[in-house]
Amino acid sequence: MTRWIRALKSRSFRLKLMITSVACILIPTCITLGVSNVMTEKAMKEQAAQNARNTLQLVDGYVSSLLDLMLYVINYIQVDAEVNVVLREQAAEPLEEDAEFRYRRFVDEYYTVIKKLDNLSIAGGEQFFITILLPNGKSYTNYAKDELDPDRWRDEPWFEELRKLSGFDTYWVGTQPTMFRTLKKDHPHQLSIARPLRNNSTGIYAYVIVTVLEDNISYIFQQSAGGREIALIDGTGRIHSHTDPAKIGTVLDEAALKTSGFIRLDGEAVLAVREELRYADWSLLLLSPYKEAIAGVRNMNKAVFLNLLISFFTFMLLLILLIGTFTKPLKRLGRLAETVQRGNLQVRSHIRGQDEIGYLGSSFDQMLDRINEMIAEITAEQTKKRKAELAMLQAQINPHFLFNVLNSIRLNILRKGDRENAEVISSLSRLLRMTIEQDKENISLRDEMELVSHYVRLMNMRRKENAQLVLDIPEEALTVRVPRFFLQPVIENALIHGLKQRGGIIRVGVRFEPETMVIAVEDDGIGMDRETLEKLRRSAASSGERTRESDNRQNFSGIGLSNVRERLRFIYGEHSAMRIDSAEGRGTAVTFLIPRQEVNAVHVQSDAG
């Protein structure tokens, strides 16, 4: 055996694949033929029972899903805080309706309760009829009241049982004649569940009843039955749903309730399978005649035996042929990989197709193309990097020199007592320092607002009237790390285009939402018309490369709104957003939405760095 395994390992992949495939077909076939000859009637019975259980489990899944949806609807109403506030208020108010009450009733019912009931009325593709009854006689429904008077539920014999329930206990009403006027003819039965809603003092402030038409369940039974009987029963054997509607409401034979497997029922051998549900004491029951239960298994065994004998040799020969054809490109790729290993990156496989081998050949060729491109890119990038480093060192000389000279001038002016001009020069000096510190991509919001304040002070020197900067920022937001210079272009646009040369207010506000930090920059300037606003939005949303020279002509920082948007998208991902709103004569607002998770992540990374 070891010698055969060693010999097989030394062969090619194609030969090993062929031998293994034939063995994987031959061995199971021989075992299957041997086992099929000794199969007994007991095995057929077990298979039939298993098929019945599988069918019942499938039905169980559908029925349980429907009942789960009914529970979901009633649970949603019980735990929804907004709905419960309205229900408690309405339960505490008198039934008489004056003008003020009618207004409150319209607002509360339509926008709070009725709207949610309408949303819940069709869940998972099923239609539910929802009724909420208040102790003072008021009611809410998702159906027309001329279809069914909600107060009829109070007359049902089981309604008083609801008073004994507490918490999340549910009363399973079961199947009863349909109460809806236009549905009685085509849908004779309905199935309902009910639950009381209690205050902390155990007082009931509402009753919730969820109803579904019974034929939603019997339709599932009929689709899965295949000539067998399937029923939904309770612990007493009462049938709540059945493939035969005439049997709904009747009680099953006691033998079918206590036994599973092959039993005698009315003098006939019957396969009975029961599946317990997790609701109350309900269960699913499948009844199938013995002959029909095993007929399919017996015929299947005969067909399998004949097909195995006929198909084995045909498929074995076809498999060997197909494996040889399918693996031919793999052999070609193997030879090509050896050529690449020797250093020749110009060869290509030219293998194409819609399957995995075609994808592998195409990816292999693309990989070689990309390697050649990366070699060229790395060479060019290294050259550009050396030139950029030299240019950066040369460009830093003038800003540092100007910064030091400005500090000297500020000190001289302070010595002469001109504090106002000294403060202006100090603001210009600090802005210049921020442009020199190229390594700080992210700064705290406090530093960003200080930078913006200096910028506004400098711009006020060039204006006829001063602009006022108002900050509405919570203390915990000042330590959040943000991209450097991302607010300055917005402030500049507000000064130049929004306020023009007149005075006004620029307001910067920050607030936290559950998953987002919102930064809003608003001005009370002239605003813009819709056409100009749409043009600005398209410009800000588009990304494009501009030369440094044109950027410097556009604004102080050289960063336009589109570049600000691109920076936010690069740092925070697609979950960030920039929104521009404006109206003529009412000013302009630019709002940034930044995910709080991403903000925290940037904060942590910046602190760590």
Side-chain angles (χ1 to χ4, degrees):
M1 185 65 178
T2 304
R3 185 180 64 179
W4 284 101
I5 295 176
R6 190 181 301 111
L8 183 60
K9 289 182 178 179
S10 63
R11 300 296 180 180
S12 67
F13 172 77
R14 298 175 67 191
L15 180 59
K16 289 188 287 187
L17 184 60
M18 291 179 183
I19 295 174
T20 303
S21 299
V22 171
C24 289
I25 294 177
L26 182 60
I27 295 174
T29 300
C30 294
I31 295 175
T32 302
L33 290 174
V35 171
S36 63
N37 291 330
V38 296
M39 292 186 87
T40 62
E41 189 72 13
K42 178 180 177 181
M44 293 182 182
K45 289 183 179 181
E46 292 175 353
Q47 184 63 44
Q50 183 62 45
N51 291 340
R53 283 192 291 270
N54 292 340
T55 300
L56 205 57
Q57 288 175 359
L58 180 62
V59 173
D60 181 14
Y62 286 119
V63 174
S64 296
S65 176
L66 178 61
L67 299 180
D68 282 340
L69 287 174
M70 295 178 71
L71 283 174
Y72 167 80
V73 171
I74 205 168
N75 287 336
Y76 183 90
I77 294 173
Q78 182 167 3
V79 302
D80 188 278
E82 191 174 10
V83 171
N84 277 268
V85 168
V86 174
L87 294 180
R88 287 188 174 95
E89 290 179 354
Q90 293 297 319
E93 291 179 354
L95 187 58
E96 291 78 18
E97 297 182 2
D98 54 18
E100 180 182 359
F101 174 74
R102 284 196 300 271
Y103 174 75
R104 290 184 60 192
R105 181 185 180 92
F106 169 78
V107 173
D108 290 340
E109 287 187 355
Y110 185 80
Y111 288 101
T112 304
V113 180
I114 301 301
K115 186 175 180 180
K116 292 196 175 184
L117 292 186
D118 287 339
N119 292 335
L120 289 171
S121 62
I122 298 180
E126 304 293 345
Q127 182 177 10
F128 297 105
F129 301 92
I130 306 172
T131 306
I132 299 179
L133 302 176
L134 304 185
N136 60 7
K138 301 176 186 177
S139 62
Y140 301 87
T141 68
N142 67 331
Y143 52 85
K145 293 188 178 180
D146 61 347
E147 182 77 23
L148 171 63
D149 183 3
D151 286 334
R152 286 188 56 189
W153 292 106
R154 304 179 191 270
D155 300 329
E156 291 296 312
W158 48 263
F159 192 82
E160 290 300 321
E161 297 294 326
L162 299 181
R163 301 180 184 275
K164 303 176 184 179
L165 303 180
S166 61
F168 284 83
D169 291 342
T170 303
Y171 187 85
W172 294 83
V173 179
T175 304
Q176 59 186 139
T178 300
M179 301 170 62
F180 300 94
R181 181 176 58 84
T182 61
L183 299 176
K184 291 180 178 181
K185 181 178 179 181
D186 297 327
H187 310 278
H189 297 94
Q190 66 182 31
L191 189 146
S192 303
I193 63 174
R195 180 186 296 172
L197 307 183
R198 295 181 180 273
N199 290 312
N200 293 334
S201 60
T202 71
I204 297 176
Y205 64 89
Y207 301 90
V208 183
I209 305 169
V210 180
T211 303
V212 68
L213 297 176
E214 179 277 333
D215 49 14
N216 287 332
I217 298 178
S218 61
Y219 175 78
I220 298 172
F221 292 172
Q222 293 165 3
Q223 295 295 314
S224 305
R228 296 167 291 188
E229 296 183 35
I230 302 179
L232 174 64
I233 61 175
D234 59 20
T236 64
R238 181 174 177 267
I239 297 176
H240 292 279
S241 183
H242 197 281
T243 48
D244 182 5
K247 294 186 177 181
I248 295 177
T250 62
V251 179
L252 283 174
D253 191 325
E254 187 176 355
L257 296 176
K258 296 183 178 179
T259 309
S260 293
F262 288 89
I263 62 175
R264 304 288 303 179
L265 191 62
D266 296 332
E268 183 181 0
V270 174
L271 171 62
V273 179
R274 187 173 179 181
E275 185 76 17
E276 298 287 342
L277 298 177
R278 57 180 179 273
Y279 311 101
D281 60 345
W282 291 7
S283 59
L284 294 172
L285 180 67
L286 183 146
L287 299 175
S288 177
Y290 172 77
K291 293 180 180 179
E292 295 181 7
I294 66 171
V297 177
R298 182 182 289 120
N299 294 333
M300 181 187 66
N301 286 334
K302 292 179 180 179
V304 169
F305 182 80
L306 294 176
N307 285 330
L308 284 175
L309 291 177
I310 296 172
S311 303
F312 172 72
F313 292 102
T314 302
F315 283 106
M316 184 177 65
L317 295 176
L318 181 61
L319 179 64
I320 294 174
L321 178 62
L322 292 177
I323 289 177
T325 303
F326 293 156
T327 57
K328 187 176 181 180
L330 289 176
K331 187 176 182 181
R332 181 178 175 184
L333 280 175
R335 291 196 300 266
L336 185 65
E338 293 177 357
T339 303
V340 173
Q341 186 179 12
R342 291 194 292 268
N344 185 358
L345 299 179
Q346 305 305 318
V347 295
R348 299 294 183 270
S349 68
H350 302 293
I351 296 174
R352 298 294 182 268
Q354 301 300 320
D355 57 5
E356 290 81 357
I357 296 178
Y359 176 76
L360 180 61
S362 175
S363 299
F364 191 84
D365 292 348
Q366 292 177 11
M367 179 189 67
L368 293 176
D369 293 339
R370 184 57 183 158
I371 289 174
N372 287 328
E373 291 175 3
M374 291 177 64
I375 292 174
E377 290 175 0
I378 291 173
T379 302
E381 185 68 23
Q382 291 297 325
T383 302
K384 290 180 181 179
K385 184 177 180 180
R386 287 194 293 271
K387 291 181 180 180
E389 289 174 351
L390 179 60
M392 182 181 67
L393 291 175
Q394 293 172 346
Q396 284 183 349
I397 296 175
N398 289 336
H400 279 291
F401 175 73
L402 292 176
F403 173 72
N404 292 330
V405 170
L406 285 174
N407 273 336
S408 299
I409 294 173
R410 183 177 67 85
L411 292 175
N412 288 333
I413 292 176
L414 280 175
R415 291 191 187 99
K416 295 179 181 180
D418 190 353
R419 178 171 294 277
E420 181 179 355
N421 287 325
E423 290 297 327
V424 172
I425 293 177
S426 176
S427 297
L428 177 60
S429 175
R430 294 184 182 183
L431 283 176
L432 181 60
R433 176 183 291 275
M434 293 298 295
T435 63
I436 295 174
E437 295 177 347
Q438 301 291 339
D439 57 331
K440 292 185 177 180
E441 177 63 24
N442 297 306
I443 61 177
S444 67
L445 185 59
R446 187 191 305 276
D447 293 339
E448 179 73 7
M449 298 316 304
E450 181 181 356
L451 183 150
V452 169
S453 299
H454 290 311
Y455 176 71
V456 172
R457 179 184 298 172
L458 291 173
M459 290 296 290
N460 280 337
M461 293 182 58
R462 302 168 54 189
R463 298 166 51 83
K464 295 180 181 180
E465 299 181 39
N466 288 343
Q468 182 181 0
L469 181 64
V470 178
L471 304 181
D472 183 11
I473 304 174
E475 184 66 27
E476 62 269 20
L478 294 175
T479 58
V480 174
R481 313 291 291 191
V482 296
R484 187 165 63 116
F485 280 130
F486 88 104
L487 289 180
Q488 184 274 332
V490 183
I491 301 296
E492 182 176 8
N493 285 338
L495 289 170
I496 296 175
H497 303 293
L499 301 180
K500 300 256 180 216
Q501 288 297 322
R502 67 181 182 85
I505 296 176
I506 300 175
R507 185 180 304 276
V508 180
V510 178
R511 70 177 187 273
F512 288 103
E513 295 183 354
E515 298 181 357
T516 310
M517 184 176 77
V518 181
I519 304 176
V521 181
E522 305 173 357
D523 66 70
D524 58 354
I526 62 175
M528 64 188 79
D529 56 32
R530 179 171 295 277
E531 182 179 355
T532 305
L533 176 61
E534 293 300 327
K535 183 177 180 181
L536 178 60
R537 286 172 174 173
R538 289 193 299 270
S539 175
S542 63
S543 60
E545 296 183 356
R546 297 192 298 267
T547 62
R548 181 180 298 177
E549 183 178 349
S550 65
D551 280 344
N552 289 336
R553 289 198 302 267
Q554 183 180 0
N555 49 52
F556 169 81
S557 67
I559 304 175
L561 289 179
S562 62
N563 283 345
V564 172
R565 178 69 189 96
E566 284 300 309
R567 290 177 66 200
L568 292 177
R569 183 182 293 114
F570 177 77
I571 295 173
Y572 302 113
E574 293 299 330
H575 297 294
S576 65
M578 182 178 73
R579 186 174 65 242
I580 306 174
D581 300 293
S582 183
E584 286 188 278
R586 297 176 61 183
T588 302
V590 179
T591 306
F592 299 96
L593 305 177
I594 301 175
R596 294 191 67 174
Q597 270 191 335
E598 301 294 336
V599 167
N600 295 335
V602 171
H603 194 176
V604 172
Q605 290 174 2
S606 300
D607 292 343

